[in-house]
Amino acid sequence: MFRITCLLFFLIFASIKCANGQRAFLANVNGVSRSYHLYNSGRREDQPNLPLIIFLGIDPTEIESIGKSDPILTGLNVPAILVFPASIKDPCAGNTALANDLAFLKTIAEEVYQNLMINRNKVFIISRGKSVCLAEAYASAYPQTIAATRHFSNPDEDLNTLLEAAGNFLVSNAGSSQHFDLWRNPLYNEEEHKKEVEDSIKLVRWGKRVSVELRTGLFFMHPSVKTEKDQTYMDISDARQLLDLNITSWLNDSMGWFVDIGWLKLPQKQEVDGARIEAGGGMILPVTFGLRYALYRQKARPYFLLGTGPMPVIVFGGRFSMNSDPNQIKNKIKAEARFALHTTIGTGMDYRIGKRIVVGGHARYIHSSEFKTAGSVNAIRGFNISLSGGYIIGANRIGPKRRKLTNE
């Protein structure tokens, strides 16, 4: 019951300290549970092979200040794992206590390696006061496991001074001898890693990049949408020029989400019919969101797309006599605004020039829902053929971030 209570206490204590970068752990040494505190100094969660620094002779209440001021600011310029063993009173008192403390330190080193994959060639001990006995005994018992030690005889030596000493160890050549192999992730593949960092043009990579293209082309309205003239006296079924901006965010080398903002230009109309004048204009703005799929890693990449989105249609125009009062003409101009949803399917070919420039040819079919007649049409449906030029943003990226797949 006592051990369960202690375990719960340390779990709660650890959860509180995690917010400040500290964690408390229990180690079972000869049937006795002993605790140590661990601090990650500037360590990424997926970074193995960091140095380990063990501090001896420091009371647990003293290390609470670490959570309030980052030790990197007080001398640690290299990421490291800091460990503060608790309940080490007077290691010089007797052989039994010293043997238990030695086993305690050995257990700590093994557990930290198993959990955080430290660099076992760079294990340092910094001791203070009477803990020098333990530091010297451990370095003597396991000489290859300790890269260097530093002792401060003053039992009240300032913690920042100890941290500065640790920083000196980290920037020195101590621990350069490779008695132990560095930890290597079994899932890490050197060839795959090499491909990830190669220049994007060598493998024609697209994943995690954004392509921005300007397109210009012709639009051919389907005859089925033609209706009789309405009060705008406009006929937009002969609209031909379609400009659009296409932005595609590539999830990988084949699949990407795109947004396409188009402008179907309606020609300005001014016709004389006998004694009457018909004039007008307008615009159509198809906005498309969808999915784009291309063949994998080819310079010339055929692709297919499917998308949908809103399509505002605005048409204005009117008929008036040549003798009409100019101030009254504006009252004879009628405007019609429609809002339709449309679906787009398409195909095309992208060709990559160099690392960042892409050109292409495209064909797609646009099919909108029906609406009340405006501009002598009741829908916008037809084929679009266009050419494009664009730029690839993030050409040097190495693809999706993979956690814990490298050995660095």
Side-chain angles (χ1 to χ4, degrees):
M1 184 65 183
F2 175 77
R3 292 186 61 183
I4 295 176
T5 303
C6 289
L7 179 60
L8 290 175
F9 170 78
F10 280 111
L11 287 175
I12 294 172
F13 183 78
S15 65
I16 294 174
K17 292 300 182 182
C18 277
N20 290 327
Q22 299 182 43
R23 285 178 285 181
F25 294 89
L26 289 179
N28 190 299
V29 180
N30 298 327
V32 178
S33 294
R34 301 182 64 175
S35 67
Y36 61 92
H37 300 258
L38 181 145
Y39 187 91
N40 298 346
S41 171
R43 174 182 179 270
R44 298 197 320 262
E45 288 301 320
D46 58 349
Q47 185 177 5
N49 296 315
L50 291 179
L52 169 65
I53 304 176
I54 301 175
F55 293 83
L56 301 178
I58 298 178
D59 188 84
T61 57
E62 209 175 330
I63 66 173
E64 292 181 359
S65 62
I66 293 180
K68 301 175 183 178
S69 61
D70 194 331
I72 292 180
L73 302 178
T74 56
L76 294 187
N77 298 317
V78 178
I81 306 299
L82 313 183
V83 167
F84 301 84
S87 303
I88 295 179
K89 300 298 183 182
D90 186 1
C92 304
N95 292 334
T96 302
L98 181 60
N100 288 334
D101 288 338
L102 287 176
F104 183 31
L105 293 188
K106 187 173 184 295
T107 301
I108 289 176
E110 292 173 349
E111 287 188 354
V112 175
Y113 175 72
Q114 293 172 2
N115 295 327
L116 300 178
M117 306 306 172
I118 59 167
N119 183 350
R120 290 175 293 177
N121 299 296
K122 291 192 174 184
V123 178
F124 306 99
I125 293 180
I126 294 179
S127 59
R128 186 177 68 173
K130 296 180 179 180
S131 62
V132 63
C133 293
L134 178 56
E136 293 177 347
Y138 190 81
S140 176
Y142 308 101
Q144 291 188 338
T145 65
I146 299 298
T149 62
R150 175 73 186 276
H151 178 65
F152 293 85
S153 57
N154 181 6
D156 299 318
E157 190 69 56
D158 183 67
L159 180 58
N160 284 337
T161 303
L162 274 63
L163 290 171
E164 289 177 6
N168 293 332
F169 278 150
L170 296 177
V171 297
S172 68
N173 292 324
S176 57
S177 301
Q178 297 295 311
H179 297 295
F180 301 94
D181 292 333
L182 296 179
W183 180 82
R184 300 187 66 82
N185 193 311
L187 300 180
Y188 176 81
N189 185 290
E190 189 68 34
E191 281 299 315
E192 286 297 320
H193 179 68
K194 183 179 178 181
K195 290 179 181 179
E196 287 290 336
V197 298
E198 280 185 355
D199 182 65
S200 77
I201 193 59
K202 294 179 181 178
L203 294 175
V204 198
R205 286 191 171 277
W206 290 80
K208 296 302 177 182
R209 291 154 177 78
V210 175
S211 60
V212 180
E213 303 172 60
L214 292 175
R215 300 179 179 181
T216 180
L218 299 176
F219 181 76
F220 303 94
M221 195 87 74
H222 198 279
S224 63
V225 303
K226 186 80 166 58
T227 63
E228 297 297 327
K229 284 188 177 181
D230 50 58
Q231 61 180 352
T232 64
Y233 293 96
M234 284 287 292
D235 183 357
I236 65 174
S237 63
D238 60 349
R240 287 288 181 267
Q241 187 177 6
L242 178 60
L243 305 173
D244 57 294
L245 171 68
N246 184 282
I247 302 174
T248 303
S249 176
W250 294 98
L251 304 176
N252 51 48
D253 288 328
S254 296
M255 193 80 69
W257 294 101
F258 75 89
V259 57
D260 189 285
I261 303 172
W263 174 36
L264 180 56
K265 187 177 180 181
L266 302 182
Q268 299 293 313
K269 177 183 179 181
Q270 188 169 343
E271 297 179 353
V272 178
D273 182 11
R276 294 184 177 276
I277 298 176
E278 294 180 357
M283 62 180 179
I284 301 173
L285 300 173
V287 179
T288 310
F289 304 91
L291 189 64
R292 192 170 166 188
Y293 178 82
L295 294 187
Y296 184 73
R297 287 190 192 169
Q298 302 293 329
K299 265 195 174 182
R301 301 197 318 160
Y303 75 85
F304 306 93
L305 65 81
L306 175 65
T308 186
M311 181 185 291
V313 179
I314 301 172
V315 184
F316 59 88
R319 174 186 284 184
F320 43 88
S321 67
M322 298 182 66
N323 297 324
S324 297
D325 184 353
N327 295 324
Q328 298 297 320
I329 289 178
K330 62 181 181 179
N331 297 326
K332 296 181 180 294
I333 299 295
K334 303 295 182 181
E336 296 288 348
R338 303 287 184 264
F339 185 87
L341 296 176
H342 76 283
T343 299
T344 298
I345 58 174
T347 186
M349 177 83 71
D350 290 325
Y351 185 82
R352 194 161 172 174
I353 301 176
K355 186 186 296 186
R356 295 179 173 86
I357 305 301
V358 60
V359 296
H362 319 277
R364 58 176 176 161
Y365 174 70
I366 300 175
H367 187 101
S368 82
S369 58
E370 288 191 5
F371 49 78
K372 185 179 178 181
T373 297
S376 301
V377 298
N378 61 6
I380 305 299
R381 298 170 184 172
F383 292 92
N384 169 229
I385 299 175
S386 62
L387 298 175
S388 71
Y391 185 83
I392 298 172
I393 300 174
N396 288 328
R397 290 177 182 169
I398 62 173
K401 181 180 180 182
R402 297 183 179 180
R403 299 183 64 83
K404 298 186 179 181
L405 290 183
T406 67
N407 296 313
E408 302 174 355

